[in-house]
Structure formats: structure tokens, C-alpha cells
Amino acid sequence: MSSHDIPEENLPAEQDTESGAVAVADEENPFADPGLPPHEHRIQDIDERAAKRSERTVALLFTVSMLATIGFIASYVGIPNDKSIYVFPIGHISAMNFALGLTLGVALFTIGAGAVHWARTLMSDVEIADERHPVEASPEVKAKVMADFRQGAKESVIGRRKLIRTTMLGALAMFPLSGLFLLRDLGSLPGTKLRHTMWSKGKLLVNMNTNQPLRPSDVQVGSLTFAKPEGLEETSEDFQVEIAKAALMIVRLQPENIKDKKELSWSHEGIVAFSKICTHVGCPISLYEQQTHHVLCPCHQSTFDLSDGARVIFGPAGHALPQLRIGVNADGYLEALGDFEEPVGPAFWERG
């Protein structure tokens, strides 16, 4: 059906914004713009009491934002950075991080909510239509701007005053360097602490599950056991920091199946101890293939051969797992004979 077949009274009408008359679509303009719908007033536009309520609501939201900002500053100053709290269902987390995130989130949310409520209830909501116009400047304006720029450059004598030009460029180049000092608040430099763990000569290997020192008889051929250093308790404040470096996995192999001579000399009766931390991005390794003596990182499938110095045989890991030299003390318990010879985990900028 064409527009000629539609009754004239059913065709869309167009509001004449200048005279207020309704223009009926015709053959020249069969799809006329019907215009904006009639403006509907809000309750705040006709009732001052409702407007006052909206004003108080916006003011309350902004006040809450101010209080949250004060809470953010107080949290940063007053909460020790090593204090942890239990938050259900997340678990134990840093008290400072939780307080900073909560207060900052409330401060930003209430500012946004206040602005939105202000705009929707008190600011004008009258629809305004405006014809688009070219954004580009006219050729005359462009020519004048370029002429003014060239004249300004000439009058600044920057081309002739080389001393001023050089020192100005130097000042502008060096000024952003001051912002680098703000990075100091990100924390202390790592120093050499990434090179060392809690393992040292005489430290007993403690089973992570039973929390008891391990004897050679506790480790069976083909089994995978996880261990931690003696004296490291889960209730310690620095447990997560230390276990991230000292976590150990212990496997017992037949001595004749160990291909690497150093690995064999650092083992005890076929019991070998390697870092549990993957050398790709630091994920904990937990998958062991008994028949192949391979361990697999579940994050990105890096695979290490524990019978050949834990070298990488597949995946993105950059180097082998560090091995811990172990022995047996006078009481018959497995003990470390020193620390790892190299940093555990992924490569970092201080390695080498």
C-alpha cells in the first residue's frame, strides 16, 4: 500500500514549531517528522515540597561521599598494612585494602548517584531540538589562526634566543620526572628478598596436610607430597608471603630412574624435593603423572620432568623448577641442607 492509498486523516502529522500548527503529510513529504511529544511535567516541577525532598536526597548523597572520603583517609593512615580480617564469603583479606576499597567505592558511587538524581529530578528536562551545523572552521578563520600563530612565533623570538629555547625544553622534559617519585609509595623495593626463602640447613620438611615432620618411610614411590619449612604456621601473619616462596613438592623415584646426576646427589634414597611454584607465572603445581614422572601446572599446562632435573618439556615456563637439597637428621627426619640455589617462581628483573 502506497501513501496515496492511506486516508489523509491517518497519515503522520508534523508539529510546526514556529506557528504551533500541525502540518499534514502530503505527496512531497509523505513521512513527515511528527515532532517531539508534549512535555510532561515532573512532580518536582509543580510541587516545591517534592523538589525540597529531592534537594535533601542529593545533599545526603554528597554528604555520605564526603564522610566516605574522610573514612578512606583515616583507613590509609590508621590501619596497619599487615592487619587481616575475615570477610564472609571471601575469607581472610587485608583490612586496609578492604577499608580503602569500600570507602572509595562508596565515595564514588554516592557522587554519581547524587548527580544522577539531581539531573533527573531538579534540572530542566525540557527537550530541545537544534539543527546540526558544520564543525569545521571556515577558510577565513583557518587562515587568520595560522597567520596569528606565525606572528606569535616570530614575536616570541624563540628561533633567535637559543638559550631560552634550550632551557625551556629542558624544564618541560624534566618536570614529569618528579612524578616518578610518587611511585615510591607503591611499596619498598624488593631488594634480595625474592632470592631467599625460609629453607635453611637443618629445617625439617613438614607435611602440609598432617603438619608433622616427614620421615623417608612416609614418602612412597609414585606419591606426591607437599611440604613446608619447620616453624611456618598458617596462623602466622606472613604465612602467605613465605609459603609463596617456600612451598615444596616431594616425590619418591627409583634411584635408577633419575637421569640428572645433580638431582640424584641432592636426593635421599630417590626422594627429591622441588619448588611447587611454577616458573611461568607462579601458579602452584599439583598434577603428577606417576608413570612419566611429569608434573603439570594447571594454569597454562607447563610440564616438568622430575626425573631429569625438573626441566621444562612443554608449555610457556622459562626454566626448570629449583631443587632443594635434602638429607636425614639424627632422628630420622627429612631435613633441608640449605636454601634453593636460585630464586623460585617466574623470572623477574633481578634474576641473573
Side-chain angles (χ1 to χ4, degrees):
M1 180 182 292
S2 67
S3 60
H4 298 285
D5 301 323
I6 302 175
E8 184 175 348
E9 61 271 12
N10 293 337
L11 289 174
E14 182 177 64
Q15 180 72 34
D16 189 342
T17 55
E18 295 184 359
S19 61
V22 176
V24 179
D26 52 22
E27 292 184 0
E28 295 182 0
N29 190 16
F31 301 104
D33 185 357
L36 295 173
H39 177 70
E40 296 183 4
H41 292 286
R42 302 165 300 187
I43 184 64
Q44 290 85 359
D45 297 329
I46 57 179
D47 188 350
E48 183 60 23
R49 291 179 299 177
K52 287 291 185 181
R53 286 196 298 269
S54 295
E55 181 182 5
R56 289 192 293 270
T57 301
V58 173
L60 176 62
L61 290 169
F62 289 160
T63 302
V64 172
S65 176
M66 290 187 287
L67 294 176
T69 301
I70 295 173
F72 178 91
I73 298 172
S75 300
Y76 184 81
V77 174
I79 301 178
N81 55 15
D82 57 352
K83 181 177 178 57
S84 63
I85 59 174
Y86 180 81
V87 178
F88 179 83
I90 303 174
H92 289 280
I93 61 175
S94 169
M96 176 182 286
N97 289 347
F98 178 75
L100 294 181
L102 180 63
T103 53
L104 183 61
V106 171
L108 292 176
F109 174 79
T110 48
I111 287 177
V116 170
H117 192 68
W118 182 9
R120 292 180 64 86
T121 60
L122 296 175
M123 293 184 184
S124 174
D125 68 336
V126 177
E127 297 84 0
I128 299 176
D130 192 11
E131 295 294 334
R132 295 184 178 181
H133 57 82
V135 178
E136 184 181 12
S138 64
E140 293 79 9
V141 173
K142 290 183 179 179
K144 185 177 185 307
V145 169
M146 294 305 300
D148 291 344
F149 177 81
R150 287 190 292 268
Q151 181 66 21
K154 180 179 179 181
E155 292 178 354
S156 69
V157 298
I158 192 172
R160 292 191 300 113
R161 307 297 182 182
K162 295 183 179 180
L163 180 61
I164 294 178
R165 180 181 61 192
T166 303
T167 53
M168 180 191 69
L169 293 176
L172 293 176
M174 292 188 63
F175 177 75
L177 298 179
S178 60
L180 295 178
F181 285 88
L182 298 177
L183 299 178
R184 183 66 180 82
D185 273 351
L186 294 178
S188 58
L189 296 176
T192 60
K193 63 184 180 182
L194 297 179
R195 297 184 180 275
H196 308 290
T197 70
M198 284 189 64
W199 292 110
S200 61
K201 183 176 177 59
K203 284 273 188 180
L204 297 181
L205 278 61
V206 177
N207 191 309
M208 287 285 292
N209 295 325
T210 64
N211 210 33
Q212 297 296 321
L214 286 166
R215 294 180 181 272
S217 58
D218 297 331
V219 185
Q220 303 299 319
V221 175
S223 64
L224 177 65
T225 305
F226 299 124
K228 64 180 179 178
E230 176 189 14
L232 181 59
E233 303 296 336
E234 293 188 11
T235 55
S236 304
E237 291 186 358
D238 59 347
F239 175 78
Q240 296 297 340
V241 174
E242 295 300 336
I243 199 63
K245 297 184 294 181
L248 201 66
M249 60 180 176
I250 303 170
V251 174
R252 189 164 199 160
L253 309 174
Q254 297 292 351
E256 58 270 19
N257 291 335
I258 300 178
K259 307 171 187 176
D260 186 81
K261 293 182 179 180
K262 178 181 177 182
E263 178 183 353
L264 181 61
S265 65
W266 280 27
S267 67
H268 176 77
E269 299 178 355
I271 301 175
V272 294
F274 288 96
S275 170
K276 184 184 176 182
I277 309 304
C278 180
T279 56
H280 177 218
V281 293
C283 295
I285 298 173
S286 57
L287 304 177
Y288 176 56
E289 297 176 350
Q290 180 180 356
Q291 300 300 322
T292 61
H293 312 305
H294 296 168
V295 288
L296 178 70
C297 177
C299 292
H300 305 97
Q301 287 70 56
S302 292
T303 307
F304 305 87
D305 187 355
L306 295 189
S307 66
D308 191 12
R311 66 181 180 89
V312 183
I313 60 174
F314 179 79
H319 53 278
L321 297 172
Q323 183 180 2
L324 185 70
R325 187 177 183 182
I326 60 174
V328 175
N329 64 8
D331 297 325
Y333 292 106
L334 291 171
E335 66 175 1
L337 299 181
D339 196 0
F340 293 105
E341 282 195 335
E342 58 180 311
V344 301
F348 62 100
W349 63 275
E350 283 190 330
R351 181 186 293 277

